[in-house]
């Protein structure tokens, strides 16, 4: 059996980081729904780490490009930088940002959804079903980020449910993104 070289421009390490991040987000979702009374600072640290990884995953492909970047590439870079900044803030000052957790999480998830929506068209060309699922997941992620901000019942019970929905959508979308090979 002869092995052929992958045409996917993402490195093996990048794809494995995306898989790890997707699984971490899904595990974080399970944790958020089963431990709603846990301190918000712990959730801030977990979200900060996820944002750092997601932002890095958005920046690395931009610098590995050999062609002239297009608007989509520049938008991915900008979103990656914003996610990293938000992740650093969540890690550096979790006590300060804990009261604004729903705003910070909503912003982070909205940026992640925007990045995913940018990539949906290319995904649908490769695999229509997975591309459509990615579209639905990113729209659900965007909706959950809006609900985090507009939540009419600001108690500790609804926050874990919305965070769980957002983490499940984002984590599953990352796994879908890895499953669809990209061309150079």
């Amino acid at each position: 059996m002869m092995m052929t070289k992958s045409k996917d421009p993402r490195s093996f390490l990048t794809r494995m980081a995306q898989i790890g991040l997707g699984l971490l987000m899904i595990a974080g979702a399970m944790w958020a729904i089963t431990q709603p009374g846990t301190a918000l600072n712990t959730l801030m640290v977990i979200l900060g780490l996820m944002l750092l990884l997601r932002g890095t995953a958005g920046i690395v492909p931009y610098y590995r490009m050999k062609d002239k970047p297009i608007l989509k590439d520049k938008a991915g870079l900008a979103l990656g930088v914003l996610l990293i900044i938000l992740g650093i803030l969540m890690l550096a000052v979790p006590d300060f940002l804990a009261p604004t957790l729903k705003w910070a999480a909503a912003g982070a998830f909205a940026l992640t959804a925007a990045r995913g929506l940018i990539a949906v068209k290319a995904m649908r060309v490769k695999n229509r079903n997975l591309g459509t699922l990615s579209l639905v997941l990113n729209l659900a992620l965007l909706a959950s980020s809006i609900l985090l901000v507009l939540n009419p019942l600001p108690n500790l019970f609804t926050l874990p449910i919305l965070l769980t929905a957002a983490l499940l959508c984002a984590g599953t979308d990352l796994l879908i993104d890895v499953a669809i090979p990209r061309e150079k």
Side-chain angles (χ1 to χ4, degrees):
M1 177 173 199
M2 186 174 14
M3 301 270 289
T4 60
K5 186 171 178 174
S6 172
K7 292 181 181 179
D8 197 332
R10 296 174 292 183
S11 70
F12 176 76
L13 187 58
T14 301
R15 291 191 311 268
M16 290 300 107
Q18 278 187 285
I19 290 171
L21 181 56
L23 294 175
L24 180 64
M25 286 181 167
I26 292 170
M30 296 302 115
W31 175 82
I33 200 69
T34 60
Q35 305 294 326
T38 305
L40 290 179
N41 286 348
T42 306
L43 189 55
M44 294 291 282
V45 170
I46 290 172
L47 286 173
L49 290 172
M50 289 177 184
L51 290 175
L52 284 175
L53 290 171
R54 184 67 169 150
T56 303
I59 289 175
V60 169
Y62 180 83
Y63 288 106
R64 295 181 56 102
M65 291 177 51
K66 293 184 174 105
D67 299 331
K68 185 178 178 185
I70 58 174
L71 180 62
K72 179 184 92 166
D73 301 321
K74 291 176 183 176
L77 174 66
L79 288 172
V81 169
L82 286 173
L83 290 174
I84 286 176
I85 291 169
L86 191 55
I88 290 171
L89 286 174
M90 285 183 157
L91 291 173
V93 285
D95 292 333
F96 178 71
L97 290 178
T100 62
L101 174 63
K102 73 176 188 175
W103 291 94
F109 289 130
L111 289 172
T112 301
R115 184 183 181 286
L117 288 170
I118 289 170
V120 164
K121 185 176 180 182
M123 289 176 141
R124 290 190 75 191
V125 168
K126 290 290 188 180
N127 187 319
R128 188 163 179 80
N129 292 335
L130 287 179
T132 302
L133 180 58
S134 179
L135 175 66
V136 170
L137 288 170
N138 281 298
L139 290 175
L141 181 58
L142 189 58
S144 65
S145 67
I146 292 168
L147 286 175
L148 272 170
V149 172
L150 300 178
N151 187 10
L153 304 170
N155 62 28
L156 267 180
F157 179 68
T158 55
L159 185 63
I161 291 172
L162 290 171
L163 285 173
T164 299
L167 287 169
L168 282 173
C169 290
T172 305
D173 187 57
L174 268 177
L175 296 176
I176 289 170
D177 185 45
V178 171
I180 298 174
R182 295 183 186 167
E183 290 182 13
K184 291 184 180 181

